[in-house]
Amino acid sequence: MSSTPIADLALVSDRHSAGLIGRDGAVEWLCFPLFNGPSVFARLLDDEAGHWTIRPAVPYETTRRYLPQTMVLETTFRTGSGTVVLTDALLTGPDDGGHRLGVGVPHLLARRVSGVGGEVPMEIEYRPRPEYGLIYPILSVVEGGVTARGGAEWLVLTTPVSLSIGDCSGYGVFTVREGETRHFGVHRSTLQETPARVWDQAELAARLDDTIIAWQSWSSLHQAYDGPWRDLVHHSGRVLQALSFQPSGAIVAAATTSLPEWAGGERNWDYRYTWVRDASLTMGALWVAACPDEASDFFAFLTTAAPSLGKDRALQIMFGVRGEHDLSERTLPHLRGWRGSRPVRVGNDAWNQRQIDVYGELLDAALRLERQIGDIDDDVRRFLIACADTAAERWTEKDQGIWEMRGEPRHFLYSKLMCWVALDRGIALACLLRAQERVEYWRRTRAEIRETLLREGWNDRVGAFTQAFGSDALDASALMMPIVGFLPAGDSRMLSTIDAVADRLTDDQGLVYRYRTADGIDGLAGEEGTFLLCSFWLAQALAMSGQVGRARDVFERAAAYANDVGLLSEEIDPGSGELLGNFPQAFSHIGLINAAWAIDEAERDCGPVGAGRGNGDGRVA
């Protein structure tokens, strides 16, 4: 089974697919040509599922970084005899500067080995295992490379080093001296595409340089945030861009599947899809750390992927990156999982859950983009009206909640809150939607939801808003009440809820759980770690209530868990402090960006940030 620490991984992306590379120069995970496509290398989930390693053949020490303003990874190996730098990137396409980042990519992982001091003996091991390790391809040596034949994919390794072939694997050794550079690449195609090929050294060198320039061009055009933790915020913006699918604007929740919420447990899900629930949080984060174009692309994808709504047709909660609806889940029994965490899953059955919060998240996203969508077509206008109407009709229903509980449906507070948001944002957008005749109905229903939330959601025994009506369980999603403008953060009930979460829903380090799994409310066995997004929510709510010092403390505590190249996982093991869950996690980087912005606003105002509705520039009104 795989035991690579999640913190040892670094992301590379071409905005179509993603790879994860370890500190030892091993490509532990790579899916072509889509984020949710079958893997070519998946040693992260099983030692036998394939990897591609380039590293010194002698003892070494490692440091890593991303090249400035890019998602191009640089790993420096220092040995007793010399120093080598390994540069890794999924290549972007020709003329891919600025907004074109990710257009026309060749589906090629390029690797540059450069000697910067002395000389270093190196080794390369190449073990492609397509379709999540099911296929052991036939490898053949050709001039300048190695081909891999088997299944639906055609892989071609470009290598200036001769490899010996055996057991469907290649192995070679070489020496790199100061001033020498060698380029490697694995190129992928299918039988229906222009065949993958061997690339010459000059061509690989030029395209790798172009990829660096393309990322820097995107960053310089898009990233203007100049508040606290500027570098973290900008880097998180690039991570979100790296997790976005260029042809559609969809943003996947993470680059991986089945990295568990608890080592050895069953809470192992496929996160390589895009969730409607992330929409409003993502809009705010993209406004701060990227630009309106990325936010508009994501919103356009959501409104295109979603079907028509009706009495018996609810809004689906998640989609594939190309807008696919059927994401049926299956297990891969041949994979042993990260640290024995089974089952390994592909697909996600949450796609057919009922979650009534999604209408509020879509309409909140629409309001943030009001200036950009002023010329929406009639189909989108009717769809957004239907979202508000459906929230008004369905808010009394039980559902599975934001955390996609696999137990019985309940009356979750967050779901009702987001139905209130749907109507609140629908009223604000009524003129744009040409839906003035709906406003009175929406206002009445919004008032009814508010009254019910304040009556049924508040629990005097707990001294806080709780997870569901009639429940004593705390849930970090209650922190969203001031963030979406339902109550001011300084309201006594919100202050009490914030304190309850901080005091009773945290681990010994002060990181926040989503809820207590020991309460047995989610229909799953086992435990999970603390949830980084929820920790950033706590920081954001504290900032909005004027408690800036506490907000800073919580923020810095959570942000400190970023690995050496600034990537955040979904969760943290409360005992060991180790990263857990799918990686890197978009939600965590979204939370970091939004919390940093809220703290910056609070410090600028020298007092609590207002808790009003978000407006078109992504700021709180």
Side-chain angles (χ1 to χ4, degrees), residues 531-553:
F531 209 79
L532 282 172
L533 172 66
C534 297
S535 300
F536 288 121
W537 278 349
L538 177 58
Q540 189 171 358
L542 284 166
M544 295 179 72
S545 70
Q547 302 178 76
V548 181
R550 288 181 68 191
R552 272 188 164 270
D553 288 344

Side-chain angles (χ1 to χ4, degrees), residues 358-430:
V358 291
Y359 308 105
E361 286 142 357
L362 251 177
L363 282 159
D364 188 60
L367 185 62
R368 289 180 181 272
L369 289 171
E370 183 177 6
R371 296 174 187 172
Q372 279 66 45
I373 63 173
D375 58 348
I376 58 173
D377 59 40
D378 286 343
D379 289 340
V380 174
R381 183 179 59 79
R382 284 191 292 268
F383 169 70
L384 293 176
I385 292 171
C387 283
D389 281 342
T390 306
E393 294 163 4
R394 295 193 169 212
W395 76 270
T396 58
E397 297 178 4
K398 297 179 180 180
D399 72 347
Q400 307 303 134
I402 180 177
W403 307 128
E404 296 168 4
M405 304 292 194
R406 298 209 172 189
E408 290 298 315
R410 303 174 71 192
H411 288 295
F412 288 102
L413 178 138
Y414 179 83
S415 299
K416 314 300 185 189
L417 172 67
M418 295 312 293
C419 287
W420 178 91
V421 169
L423 299 175
D424 185 70
R425 286 13 174 204
I427 293 165
L429 290 166

Side-chain angles (χ1 to χ4, degrees), residues 39 48-49 129-137 330 332-335:
S39 63
E48 301 303 315
R129 297 291 184 266
E131 291 195 34
Y132 303 108
L134 279 175
I135 294 175
Y136 283 62
R330 61 189 175 94
L332 301 179
H334 66 284
L335 295 180

Side-chain angles (χ1 to χ4, degrees), residues 16-59:
H16 291 251
S17 50
L20 293 175
I21 299 169
R23 293 175 59 85
D24 62 350
V27 182
E28 295 267 352
W29 177 258
L30 178 65
C31 296
F32 274 147
L34 303 174
F35 289 106
N36 61 323
S39 63
V40 173
F41 306 113
R43 189 170 73 172
L44 186 59
L45 297 177
D46 191 294
D47 286 337
E48 301 303 315
H51 68 99
W52 177 22
T53 302
I54 301 176
R55 65 183 177 188
V58 295

Side-chain angles (χ1 to χ4, degrees), residues 410 458-475 504 519 521:
R410 303 174 71 192
W458 175 260
N459 187 314
D460 280 326
R461 294 186 304 276
V462 179
F465 289 101
T466 54
Q467 182 179 70
F469 293 174
S471 169
D472 288 344
L474 289 172
D475 191 304
R504 287 177 264 154
D519 293 339
I521 54 180

Side-chain angles (χ1 to χ4, degrees), residues 149-184:
R149 187 189 309 271
E153 296 185 311
W154 170 251
L155 298 172
V156 179
L157 174 71
T158 296
T159 171
V161 175
S162 297
L163 302 186
S164 58
I165 304 300
D167 191 28
C168 304
S169 304
Y171 181 81
V173 295
F174 60 104
T175 298
V176 176
R177 298 174 178 83
E178 182 175 353
E180 293 182 344
T181 298
R182 300 183 186 185
H183 290 85
F184 302 79

Side-chain angles (χ1 to χ4, degrees), residues 1-207:
M1 65 180 180
S2 172
S3 59
T4 301
I6 293 171
D8 280 4
L9 302 172
L11 172 73
V12 292
S13 166
D14 58 8
R15 299 194 66 212
H16 291 251
S17 50
L20 293 175
I21 299 169
R23 293 175 59 85
D24 62 350
V27 182
E28 295 267 352
W29 177 258
L30 178 65
C31 296
F32 274 147
L34 303 174
F35 289 106
N36 61 323
S39 63
V40 173
F41 306 113
R43 189 170 73 172
L44 186 59
L45 297 177
D46 191 294
D47 286 337
E48 301 303 315
H51 68 99
W52 177 22
T53 302
I54 301 176
R55 65 183 177 188
V58 295
Y60 58 85
E61 294 181 352
T62 303
T63 57
R64 302 185 297 176
R65 65 166 186 155
Y66 283 108
L67 294 177
Q69 295 185 296
T70 79
M71 293 301 293
V72 176
L73 179 68
E74 182 183 89
T75 304
T76 300
F77 297 107
R78 293 181 175 84
T79 74
S81 61
T83 300
V84 164
V85 171
L86 173 65
T87 304
D88 287 300
L90 277 164
L91 296 184
T92 57
D95 188 29
D96 260 17
H99 295 297
R100 288 181 53 81
L101 185 69
V103 175
V105 303
H107 302 298
L108 190 151
L109 175 62
R111 318 193 74 185
R112 173 185 289 164
V113 179
S114 302
V116 297
E119 62 178 51
V120 180
M122 301 288 293
E123 61 182 355
I124 175 173
E125 185 173 8
Y126 178 64
R127 296 172 62 86
R129 297 291 184 266
E131 291 195 34
Y132 303 108
L134 279 175
I135 294 175
Y136 283 62
I138 299 171
L139 301 187
S140 301
V141 175
V142 297
E143 185 176 355
V146 175
T147 62
R149 187 189 309 271
E153 296 185 311
W154 170 251
L155 298 172
V156 179
L157 174 71
T158 296
T159 171
V161 175
S162 297
L163 302 186
S164 58
I165 304 300
D167 191 28
C168 304
S169 304
Y171 181 81
V173 295
F174 60 104
T175 298
V176 176
R177 298 174 178 83
E178 182 175 353
E180 293 182 344
T181 298
R182 300 183 186 185
H183 290 85
F184 302 79
V186 63
H187 191 193
R188 176 263 181 207
S189 66
T190 66
L191 299 177
Q192 293 80 30
E193 298 170 331
T194 301
R197 60 182 174 85
V198 171
W199 292 49
D200 66 44
Q201 292 291 293
E203 189 178 17
L204 274 180
R207 291 295 292 274

Side-chain angles (χ1 to χ4, degrees), residues 333-350:
H334 66 284
L335 295 180
R336 290 171 288 180
W338 184 82
R339 297 191 184 173
S341 303
R342 304 178 78 174
V344 172
R345 295 178 169 96
V346 294
N348 194 313
D349 276 346

